Amino acid sequence: PEPGCLQTWAAHSRALVGRWTTARCGGRARQMRRQQRDEFRALLLSIRGLPAALPALPLELTILYNSLLFTVGASDSAIKQEPEGIRQGLLRVLEACGACGEDLGTEELWQKVLQEVTVEELQAPLHRLGALQAAWWLAASQLGSVAGLFQLLSAAEDLGRSPCGEVQNKLLSVIKAWQVPPEGASLPLVQSAKDLKEILCTAAAFLQGLQELEAGNFPTALSHLQEAAGGFCSKKILAKIYPCLGCCAQQMGKPQTALQYLKRALQVDFQCLPALSHVAAVYHELGEIDAEMQALTLLYEALGNNPPAAASSSPYFLMQTELLVHTPVLTSLLRHHHPSEVKYLLAQRCLQYGRVADAVEHYLDFLSLLQEGLQQQVPLDGSSPLPRIPEVFLEAASALEQAGRHQDAITLCEEVISRTTDLIPQVLRVEERLEQPECPLPGAGLAGGLLSQKESLCCLAWRAAGYLHQGWAWAKLGESKEAVTQFSRCLSDLLRVQLHGSGIKWTENFQAEVEVLQKIRLLSLIGRGTQFLELGRHKEALLDFQHSLQISSGDPAAASYLVQALWKLNRKQEAAAQWQKFSQGSPGEDGQQQGQGRPLPLYLVSCLEQAMFPHSEPLARSIQDYLGTAAQDTS
């Protein structure tokens, strides 16, 4: 190009940069970024309309640098796309030097350019362009590529022959070792390479911290995240780093340190509601019930009153750390909960902590949200804490029962029963199907595969639990005959299941569901047996308690009720023998805590409590008196 063309292009570039520097803090910054991007693109096209020439390349690469920065500033999604302009720029550098690299990948192309092009005037613009390339690779989590590029840029002798994995471990070292090229006054930049380096360091530390956090290397993750927090950070990025530090500290068994980090996140940005959610989780771990409930209440109010809005970007920088850090683990840690999810957590926690009146209020509020299309408002990717809707109804029924609102509990359970009736076959055969894939596709259940069997078992468990709750509710109302009817319906439902299988895969696939069904059967037999006792039908009660012990050989409630039934049948010697057997022996494996560490569904906990034998001491005294009298008679 003619010298006059170079001067014109340079003047145009300076004018665009000057216009941005003057107006970047205005209210129309985003619109101006688009205008600047389009003008820089047009300027770049006019330069590239001519063959590549060494005298014009420093200007061309500087304009490319500014153009790419405005591309990122005009659209947050631009960083997720391949920066084709960089590749074209490198190919034009090789063209001007009489070389080619069309068949090379991006990393190989950078290696060829940096190793073969020695023109002094091109080093600074190439280094700046390399820093931009690193930003794109960081956004794609290609940390090894970034480390390799900066190894070439900094030409650090001690890292010169390091393997790729080793270089990645020293990512921050090679970025820091890079010497930022000086800026020329004649070719101004919209964002300095020095600021860009600081942003790259912060983003690299943040990304490495997230990688280590996901891998479970918590001390290393903590170190990287702390370095990121001490780097070139806006309030927006600090509000993302601190919750990650908090989660890391929590995983390391340091809940108080976790709380400090999470509170810092809220101090930096009071709208950082994910931090408040994690605060509640830490208090839950610590067993500080009041603090946990207060955090959840504040979170619910904040979500309802001021839905979180995205913080505005800094007007000074087009390339920012927050644009470079987008990983699934970060998305998961900083997920914003829907108000209904927090409402459910409040209800669940109140029920678990025995705050029955509050639990009822929260559950009823939550159920009213179902009328507003709740399924469309919460994520369906498994990240939501919400259980299946029938389980929520059963938990609500449990809360209503404990609050003495037995008729309301019966009504809620009837809703579960009616909704699941048509979903359960008359005979449910559950068998091992070796031809089924380990991870069936989402629609596999519709074809009667493994998923449909599990779904059918879940539906059966929900309906049987509905009858179980109704049985206990009628018992509390003093309606023993109706209670017996509901318990019998529950047991009849469970007879539909035919289990065929014993292999490891079968056990893995269905063990949890079968354990729940067995627990429901046990509780229903005990419940019906207690109502038979109330009705004076002692022989039928005895049979139910015997069947209960066949399911759970050492269950203390079933054993105590069995002794009571024998006592009422005037079979006192048998009752005493059974009492001695159960009081001296240790509970069998089936009588231990349900599922050997597998938690009982929350909706069954109240049924388990109602099934506990309430007359242990009087019965024990009666039997001890009987045994004492029998011993005297024998003497």
Side-chain angles (χ1 to χ4, degrees), residues 369-417:
L369 292 173
L370 293 179
Q371 308 303 319
E372 302 173 9
L374 179 61
Q375 290 90 335
Q376 285 74 46
Q377 299 172 9
V378 296
L380 300 177
D381 57 1
S383 61
S384 171
L386 295 180
R388 305 293 291 276
I389 296 303
E391 294 186 17
V392 178
F393 271 73
L394 291 170
E395 290 174 14
S398 176
L400 288 165
E401 279 182 68
Q402 294 178 61
R405 296 172 59 174
H406 304 299
Q407 287 290 355
D408 291 334
I410 290 169
T411 301
L412 267 186
C413 290
E414 192 59 41
E415 182 76 11
V416 175
I417 293 167

Side-chain angles (χ1 to χ4, degrees), residues 34-282:
R34 296 193 188 100
Q35 293 174 351
Q36 298 287 89
R37 174 199 62 193
D38 294 341
E39 292 200 45
F40 265 112
R41 281 179 178 174
L43 180 57
L44 191 60
L45 284 174
S46 66
I47 296 175
R48 288 180 171 174
L50 298 173
L54 285 175
L57 278 176
L59 174 61
E60 178 179 339
L61 295 180
T62 302
I63 291 174
L64 174 59
Y65 175 87
N66 288 335
S67 174
L68 287 170
L69 284 171
F70 275 116
T71 298
V72 170
S75 172
D76 293 346
S77 62
I79 196 70
K80 301 174 184 178
Q81 302 163 6
E82 184 68 25
E84 185 59 30
I86 292 181
R87 181 177 179 82
Q88 285 182 289
L90 295 178
L91 289 174
R92 283 177 64 83
V93 170
L94 290 178
E95 178 188 343
C97 295
C100 64
E102 291 283 356
D103 56 338
L104 298 177
T106 305
E107 291 185 50
E108 292 81 6
L109 187 58
W110 268 109
Q111 186 173 1
K112 183 178 179 67
V113 169
L114 292 174
Q115 289 180 346
E116 296 184 9
V117 176
T118 58
V119 179
E120 184 65 28
E121 292 79 9
L122 291 180
Q123 297 309 304
L126 279 174
H127 275 237
R128 286 193 287 266
L129 202 58
L132 269 187
Q133 177 69 75
W136 255 272
W137 278 340
L138 280 178
S141 294
Q142 295 177 229
L143 305 193
S145 300
V146 175
L149 178 57
F150 273 104
Q151 184 182 14
L152 291 169
L153 291 172
S154 59
E157 294 181 4
D158 57 329
L159 297 174
R161 299 185 180 275
S162 298
C164 181
E166 230 177 277
V167 172
Q168 182 171 336
N169 292 335
K170 299 177 179 178
L171 175 59
L172 283 175
S173 299
V174 292
I175 296 178
K176 291 177 179 178
W178 174 52
Q179 296 295 318
V180 178
E183 291 188 32
S186 60
L187 297 176
L189 307 174
V190 293
Q191 185 169 343
S192 73
K194 180 181 177 182
D195 290 338
L196 183 56
K197 177 182 176 179
E198 295 294 336
I199 288 169
L200 293 176
C201 285
T202 302
F206 195 0
L207 285 166
Q208 284 193 303
L210 291 172
Q211 280 190 352
E212 297 295 341
L213 181 60
E214 189 173 20
N217 302 324
F218 303 119
T220 307
L222 191 71
S223 175
H224 284 307
L225 292 170
Q226 286 173 334
E227 174 134 14
F232 200 70
C233 294
S234 63
K235 288 186 176 181
K236 184 176 179 181
I237 202 68
L238 275 176
K240 292 182 178 182
I241 296 173
Y242 281 134
C244 297
L245 280 164
C247 292
C248 193
Q250 185 182 6
Q251 293 292 333
M252 293 171 68
K254 299 178 179 180
Q256 294 299 337
T257 304
L259 287 174
Q260 291 176 11
Y261 282 126
L262 294 169
K263 288 176 181 177
R264 282 189 204 172
L266 291 167
Q267 290 168 355
V268 169
D269 180 8
F270 68 94
Q271 282 281 23
C272 184
L273 301 187
L276 193 54
S277 175
H278 288 299
V279 166
V282 175

